[in-house]
Amino acid sequence: MVDDVIDHDGPTPLYVQVADAVQARIEAGELLPNRPIPSENQLVQEYGIARGTARKSIQLLRERGLVVTVVGRGTYVVAKPSTEEK
């Protein structure tokens, strides 16, 4: 449950907690490569955060190399190259 993931009173900034939660969903295969992640508005609703916090979370995911934003289309999980190919 989302409330188990986000600690609104904890020492870790909310945007980091949300980015970590989305990253965990990517790593678990819940959010698939080349598919969109939840929008800013969806993150606001899902985690009970401000829109600026959602935006900063997505920015952090981009900095981590996990997602790419396509202007006017959304933010998508980056396709990881297969480590089996060589």
Side-chain angles (χ1 to χ4, degrees), residues 14-15 40-41 44 49-59:
L14 288 177
Y15 79 94
E40 286 180 10
N41 287 335
V44 166
I49 57 174
R51 187 176 177 113
T53 302
R55 186 174 294 125
K56 200 165 181 179
S57 296
I58 293 171
Q59 178 183 347

Side-chain angles (χ1 to χ4, degrees), residues 50-71:
R51 187 176 177 113
T53 302
R55 186 174 294 125
K56 200 165 181 179
S57 296
I58 293 171
Q59 178 183 347
L60 181 56
L61 290 166
R62 277 196 304 268
E63 291 170 3
R64 292 177 178 176
L66 297 171
V67 300
V68 61
T69 299
V70 180
V71 178

